[in-house]
Amino acid sequence: MKQLLTIILLSISGLIYAQKVTVSGTIYDDAGIPLIGATVVVLDTTIGTVSDFDGNFSIEIPNDSNTLFVSYVGFLDQKIKVGESTTFNIKMILDNQSLDEVVVIGYGSVKKSDLTGSISSIKGNDLTKFGAVSIDQALAGRAAGVIVTQGSGVPGSGASIKIRGINSMTGSDPLYVIDGVPLENTSIASISGADQSSSQITPLSLINPSDILSIEILKDASATSIYGSRGANGVVLVTTKSGKAGKTVVEVSTETSIAYIPKIIDVQDANEWNLTRYEAYRNSGVDVSSMETRVDSARLGLHKSVKWQDKIFRQSRTTNSNFSVSGGTKDLRYLISSNYLDAQGIVQETDFKRISSRLNLDAQVKKGFKIGTRIVYSSVNSNQQSTTTNWDTANGVNSIIQRALKTPPTINFEEDLGEDGTRLYTPLEALESNDYDNQITQFIGNVFANVTLGKGIVFRTNFSHQNRSTTQRFYQLGGVLPEAYDLSGWARTNDSKYTSKTFTNTLNINKKLGKGSINGLLGQSLEWREFELVGTSNYGFPNNLLTYFSPGTAEFNDPDKIINFESTLASFFGRVNYVYDSKFLLTLTGRYDGSSKFAKKNKWGFFPSAAIGYVISKESFLADSETVSNLKLRLSYGMVGNQALREFQSLAQLAAGLVGMGTGSGGEATTPIFFTSQLPNENLKWETTTQFNAGLDLGFLNNRFTTTLDIYNKRTKDLLVVGNPIPAQSGFATYVENVGAMETKGVDLGINANIISTDKFSWNMSGSLSTGKTKIVDMKGDFVQSGYNQGWVSGGTQRLIVGEEIGTFFGYKTQGIAQFDDFVEFQGLATEEQIELYNTDLTATYTFIDDYQGGFPIEATRNRPGEQLYKDTNNDGAIDEEDRGIIGSAQPDFSFGINNNFSIGNIDLSFFFDGQVGQDIVNVTNFSLLSFSSEQQLSTVRSAWSPENNSNQYPRLDQSNFGAPAFLFSDRYIEKGSFVRLQNVTIGYNMPNKFIKKLQLTSAKIYVSGSNLFTLSDYTGFNPDVSLGGSNNLALGHDDAGYPVARTFRLGVNLKF
Amino acid sequence: MNIIAKIGLLFIIIGTTSCESFLEEDPNTFISQTNFYQTESDARTACDGIYKLLNDGGAVSLYGRFWPAIDVATDDVSSKVGRTNFNPWFEHTINGEHVWFESWNQYQGLWSGISRANDVIKFVPEIAMDADAKNAIIGEAKALRALFYFHLVRAWGDMPKVVNVGSIEDFSKPRSLVDEIYDEIIIPDLMFAENVCVDDLHTGRITKWTAKVILADVYQTRAGWRRTSQGDFTQGNAEYWTLARDKAKEIIDNSPHVLNTTPLVDGQNMTPAYGVAWSQSSPFSIESMLELASVNETGNGNWITRECGPWFNGQQFWGAGVNKPLLSEGINLNVNQLKFPVVVAVGMFIPTPDLWNAFEPGDQRRDWSLMTRYTTPSGDNYLCQPTFRKYVDIDFYLGADNTSFRNTTNNPILYRLADAKLIYAESANEADGGPSAEAYTQINSIRNRAGLPDLAGLSQSDFRTAVWKERRLEFNAECKRKFDLVRTNRLTTETASIEVDWTTDNGSVNNYSNHNSLFTGTVVWPDNEWLMPIPQSQIELNIENEWVQNEGY
């Protein structure tokens, strides 16, 4: 009302002074939304006004003035020349780099100019551009120092996020804090049990990206130590939108998209497969006469093929609709939003449906007392298939994508495979028989109150509650799979609930002290977390009619399982920010955390940090510089912790079970047993990461060009190693202990350039570049295996070697293929004679020539032309474990993102590239597809060595190449993983004002967008962006035919009323 | 500032209430060690937990699934065609990276058993309970620990001495010589057990007689040959023959065990007396001295039935389907119609024709042990390829309700009275310089039961050979063949010429080979494979403990 009054009074005053010119107009933002309360002053006078609810203003200017100065917080100031025209539509340009911008930090916020820590901010509307289901997927390439690996394209699956390298063996997921409350982010384990966690549904997918106002990523110790024992992996602060006082804004958007697989793996067709198989058996010395007929027809190309990949992938459709209403008065502001997402996956019978509703309320109850709430309820319904990498082939639930690649392309299985092998099931049989249904509901209720206790003293209390329930159902139809796998119906159910409560109290004090100002924070919090899961498994049903609803009819009932975890965290924390003369900045932070997860004597840990900042541009010699508008140096040092560990790990656990035993009266029955299932560790304690950070913020030409450069050095000691292998004579395979240390050194660079900024045309470019590889600096020895070992790869694919990176691949080095001339027996023969000799006995062995210099086959029984040679590293004339060495590295040298935004009149155009360079990937699927045996192979295997085609790349086909011991983990399976990807192109059209007015809208936008459009990479698997082990840092860079990330095209409409 | 003082007070109150009890862990779903080992029942359940390692009912299990591979590629046991898991066995290129070591838990499982036994031996003495019952339980644990170590030293040679596991120091140890393991662990443990365990028939748990039969086996083994981890061949001290003889005699004379001598007739199904010990309807026969109960519940059965079946029908052995092999008995069905309703034909462990040929005419053990035909009580007939009967849960083959290959219920038997008898016969012949009357009595009791006549008038050397042969036939499929061949220094001689192809001479209608094509029967076992290689990962995990791989690998 006051504003209105002012406007009216000003208008009246304009009438009185009739000799003055009245100028009026409307002020709106770049999206066409009227700006309320923008200041309009006549330059160099005290005459001024503010815009009203509809963004309108009217002002009288004296005759001797002709310039208006328009300003609004968060937008660039504008000067408007008043000439002939007296009405103006003024579009304000968003000032992304405003130093008055407020940045959210842990338990508070700070002016960007006063920031001493290393923090990246991302706006909410940048996140929604990809149409990502979950916010973590949308962070790729958006912030310096953040590497996102979208390991799986399963709708709703989580991405692996690493902030500044790897800090821990137990996982590098950052802490997510949503509106001030730490989110429990444990992915929901798949029901099939043996999964490698790559395609589990992440709780982040329950958050609607459209609700997000901004994301802040805290990177250095100064920024993260306020989160103490959970800060070491970095912290992602998510702030949701809230209502603004003024006109009610109704926003409706809807989009629809199609997606498909960008790439098909080229495997053999039925003719190639028959030929390969024949040759593999023949070369291994097996009588192949029974296969001759089929091979003859294969030579003529007569066999029909099944393209399994085409059978399981599809073009999928997705619709996503958002509705929100926000607004309110000065004393009561609200935002109500709702989202409905119906996403199909590109694998048949996979989908993800989400409904999410949110209420954000902020009420000023009375002066000095505010109360608010953030309530969100989400529910997800998702059908899935086994698309991860469990190895439960016996039960017919092995990944159908792997199955699609590895299944012979032949239609008639039993006939073609003959009776020499138990028939595998086809991907379609797996698809038909296995049905996975997941339902997840999550409620987060968060209530807070701020009480102003005095000038600059605010007490805040916050109580929040997160409750997530998951219902997982699995039924495998009986009678579909071949006999060997058929369980006559298999029903599994898991019901779990996750509850967390957080109670936080903080006291915030702001004081001016002469030229300085001090901001103090003192806080305390308590957290409780509890998880419980009840699971059943029954099989052997009389029919499939009742599926899992009728466990009583099952012949076999596995014991029901109940899992229960509880943990608590008690914390005290504080922070002091001191700013002197806007020039010198000091931040001291500390947190004292007590966690239930550690051994009795090591529950508590203290995590302090200190940071200083020096704003050089405020010094007199730069204060008036036109060129350098900002120059700030930041230094920070501190310690943060990690407690990413399951509960109860320090205790000696006894597990219960049953064993068969005689009853003593002629019968037998089971009897209960108890046995130690975990070695105790009374020394179990925190991981501690010490980080040094030096940062430089630069701004030129009124901050049109800005860069932020950070150099850091992190060192983590007392690493928590959960699956730390220990000698078998302990009675246990693994032990949980604090072992070793690692170090990451890196550089984060962020740039932003408003290259062109006019009313009609603007071009903004931003980019980020990150380096930072993590090395082991201390470990028990150089022999700790990691990576992948599913019974195939003895010793694992990777090793933790002191001085080397985490994710170092360890194995044999190939060294070409044995050729005729390498053997004594083939010397001096003409080519035809060599071929003839070779063909006389395909399994014969020969003698290497005297001065032979090359590598050797895996065993002397393979000393013959056509065999794979391996480098004899220790020159002992044979290939054994000692010849293994480092054959690759899974960490990228650097990663980057480049974003360009153009605005041409009513049209917006943006495109976004991201990439990672220098990392290696082990293509686990190729252990089978490049085994040079009768198993289904890549098409390129047709160029394998043969007497007529002396390939030096691929060995000869041989049935005995498959499986142990012929299988060696070598660089044959290591590929370059570097990629550059056109991640997104979006073209939007803002409807012209006239049109909008007619429809009574405030803005309307139509856009088309394409994601994952183009990837430049040598990697032969589906995506170079892989993480078989999810966020498991001990299995970086592994791909085993994970769920491919789709190429997506979207069309959407955005309306505001 | 008054209000600030109040807030400060609030903080202090919250701070003091969140004392240590707030952070204490109180797990709901498992017991922690400190609350356990309080009662006799705790002692019993902990001790029973050790047995679980012998047959754990799961995908990796010793006697429940994979341990029989120890005998693959000897003259007794083959694998079927296409079964490539044991290629290195047949090619004799075994290395420590094989799945048998690394994933199938055949080495690690033994240590888990030792670890559980160590817990019982350490914690049970502190429980307030009846002294005899307590000692019996500790005795069981010690006997089981000895049994696990006995497996380890025979298969892998030198082993670390781990008798307690509470901390890293307890197991970070170098390998000790095999003799030290025998002298300091195996023999003292068994001597303790034979004195304190219950004096009763065996019903699943170790009795004093079980301890004695293991001890007799240990003595006999120590008297024989072995190859050390360093690659030397060494023969044990002859005095162990006497110890073995006397220990076996104690069992024969004083134990409540006798041989099953009555055939089991159930309708038209007849189990010869020899096979009664494996009858699923009457587990823990009077002959059994260490038997593992397999129960038809997930995780408590065994998988061995799945691994042993070589083929879905008996076509190759019995002739082509149209031949109607039982037509002479009036059964007008072809082989395919006579196949078992359910067979999971994995064929990891199948008998060789060499073993078939070793049986004398009239030996009832052959046709029962190497099953090619089965008649049900109601007179239905089924035909199959030769299959080790001791590994078959016949109910599963017959497709009975409530059966699954994941939990078949046939019980593996590790020791029987027959062990004591044949140990006696063999060791007495050595200790006494020739066969005594008692030695004849013992071997002949075994032979007579199988329907064979008495032996008589043999020289020491001929008697020795006769016992060796008797052991081979009596203990077929009982995982004793390779250890016997090593102990008697015959691993190379007996494997140089193994009959691997079935012919009309050994009962088959056809000449056919159904074995892994790499098993030629002519490759002599190399010296290094007298011992298995230490699993490669274990060598690597024990570098600091200065472990070195067995010689020759």
Side-chain angles (χ1 to χ4, degrees), chain A residues 675-676 679 726-734, chain B residues 49-54 61-62 67 100-102 104-121 141 144-166 170-178 180-182 185-186 189 532-535 537-539 541-542 545 547 550:
Chain A
F675 54 91
T676 309
L679 273 179
I726 48 168
Q729 69 265 25
S730 65
F732 301 88
T734 58
Chain B
I50 311 170
Y51 293 92
K52 185 76 175 173
L53 270 307
L54 290 166
S61 179
L62 292 170
W67 186 256
W100 198 73
F101 307 105
E102 292 291 12
W104 293 353
N105 221 27
Q106 298 305 289
Y107 169 87
Q108 295 85 342
L110 295 161
W111 283 112
S112 300
I114 289 169
S115 163
R116 290 185 191 180
N118 283 335
D119 275 356
V120 171
I121 295 162
L144 287 166
R145 179 167 74 178
L147 181 68
F148 289 120
Y149 265 113
F150 188 36
H151 279 72
L152 285 167
V153 295
R154 282 182 295 170
W156 285 278
D158 296 348
M159 283 293 133
K161 284 181 274 194
V162 179
V163 290
N164 182 28
V165 176
D170 290 330
F171 58 81
S172 299
K173 299 206 164 161
R175 295 172 74 185
S176 296
L177 293 174
V178 167
E180 286 181 38
I181 304 293
Y182 276 122
I185 299 175
I186 297 175
D189 276 356
M532 289 291 195
I534 301 284
S537 64
Q538 296 302 320
I539 289 287
L541 288 168
N542 281 294
N545 303 327
W547 284 32
N550 287 337

Side-chain angles (χ1 to χ4, degrees), chain A residues 395 419 487 524 555 558 564 568 596 604 648 652 654 658 662 668 676 728-729 780 783 791 799 884, chain B residues 14 20 22 25 28 30-31 33 52 99 103 111 119 171 203 298 300 311 402 406 411 538 540 542 544:
Chain A
N395 289 335
E419 289 187 325
L487 292 173
Q524 159 277 329
E555 278 186 56
D558 290 333
N564 175 279
T568 49
S596 61
W604 290 90
F648 316 136
L654 271 84
L658 293 168
E668 51 196 355
T676 309
Q729 69 265 25
K780 268 175 149 180
F783 49 85
R799 261 183 205 216
R884 286 178 296 178
Chain B
I14 292 165
E20 288 308 312
F22 180 75
E25 292 197 297
N28 293 324
F30 62 86
I31 298 173
Q33 212 167 52
K52 185 76 175 173
V99 285
S103 303
W111 283 112
D119 275 356
F171 58 81
T203 60
T298 302
N300 292 306
W311 206 242
N402 261 334
R406 286 176 187 76
N411 292 351
Q538 296 302 320
E540 289 168 7
N542 281 294
E544 287 187 343

Side-chain angles (χ1 to χ4, degrees), chain A residues 330-344:
Chain A
K330 195 163 63 63
D331 292 336
L332 181 67
R333 291 174 290 130
Y334 65 90
L335 175 132
I336 295 170
S337 79
S338 184
N339 163 249
Y340 179 70
L341 169 73
D342 182 352
Q344 287 182 332

Side-chain angles (χ1 to χ4, degrees), chain B residues 315-336:
Chain B
Q315 191 170 299
Q316 288 169 308
F317 184 84
W318 286 95
V322 291
N323 282 357
K324 302 194 192 306
L326 303 185
L327 202 56
S328 61
E329 300 174 30
I331 298 168
N332 189 18
L333 295 169
N334 66 36
V335 170
N336 207 37

Side-chain angles (χ1 to χ4, degrees), chain B residues 189-428:
Chain B
D189 276 356
L190 289 166
M191 289 173 86
F192 179 86
E194 69 172 339
N195 288 319
V196 298
C197 286
V198 293
D199 181 0
D200 207 343
L201 282 171
H202 172 73
T203 60
R205 299 189 177 95
I206 302 263
T207 66
K208 69 185 297 177
W209 305 110
T210 316
K212 283 180 194 292
V213 76
I214 302 171
L215 187 54
D217 193 9
V218 167
Y219 287 147
Q220 179 177 260
T221 302
R222 289 202 82 185
W225 287 85
R226 65 184 177 90
R227 188 175 196 259
T228 66
S229 291
Q230 295 71 36
D232 303 320
F233 290 96
T234 168
Q235 190 177 14
N237 193 322
E239 74 192 28
Y240 285 107
W241 289 122
T242 318
L243 291 168
R245 179 197 65 191
D246 296 347
K247 194 55 65 184
K249 191 75 164 63
E250 279 181 51
I251 300 161
I252 294 162
D253 290 351
N254 302 323
S255 85
H257 295 282
V258 291
L259 288 184
N260 299 315
T261 48
T262 317
L264 191 68
V265 180
D266 180 8
Q268 297 192 48
N269 175 267
M270 204 278 284
T271 307
Y274 171 73
V276 169
W278 290 270
S279 162
Q280 284 165 244
S281 59
S282 54
F284 301 104
S285 74
I286 197 161
E287 182 175 335
S288 274
M289 299 184 73
L290 183 53
E291 179 170 340
L292 309 172
S294 297
V295 180
N296 184 12
E297 288 174 14
T298 302
N300 292 306
N302 67 49
W303 289 56
I304 198 90
T305 303
R306 175 182 187 266
E307 311 307 353
C308 73
W311 206 242
F312 295 100
N313 65 26
Q315 191 170 299
Q316 288 169 308
F317 184 84
W318 286 95
V322 291
N323 282 357
K324 302 194 192 306
L326 303 185
L327 202 56
S328 61
E329 300 174 30
I331 298 168
N332 189 18
L333 295 169
N334 66 36
V335 170
N336 207 37
Q337 290 164 321
L338 287 166
K339 69 180 181 185
F340 278 103
V342 181
V343 179
V344 183
V346 173
M348 273 194 197
F349 318 120
I350 61 173
T352 59
D354 202 87
L355 176 61
W356 177 287
N357 281 353
F359 288 94
E360 292 169 38
D363 191 333
Q364 295 171 3
R365 291 175 299 193
R366 186 190 73 183
D367 288 355
W368 183 84
S369 299
L370 311 186
M371 178 174 72
T372 55
R373 177 177 180 179
Y374 183 83
T375 305
T376 66
S378 56
D380 294 332
N381 286 284
Y382 295 101
L383 302 181
C384 61
Q385 304 283 96
T387 301
F388 281 124
R389 175 67 180 90
K390 290 174 189 171
Y391 291 155
V392 176
D393 176 346
I394 206 72
D395 294 335
F396 173 75
Y397 268 34
L398 294 172
D401 283 351
N402 261 334
T403 54
S404 159
F405 70 78
R406 286 176 187 76
N407 26 315
T408 49
T409 65
N410 45 321
N411 292 351
I413 302 175
L414 275 57
Y415 285 100
R416 301 182 280 124
L417 182 63
D419 284 273
K421 287 173 168 286
L422 292 178
I423 289 170
Y424 180 84
E426 181 175 352
S427 53

Side-chain angles (χ1 to χ4, degrees), chain A residues 191-213:
Chain A
I191 198 166
S192 41
D195 284 342
Q196 299 272 316
S197 80
S198 59
S199 77
Q200 301 166 351
I201 296 174
T202 167
L204 287 172
S205 68
L206 293 151
I207 306 287
N208 176 13
S210 298
D211 284 343
I212 292 167
L213 178 70

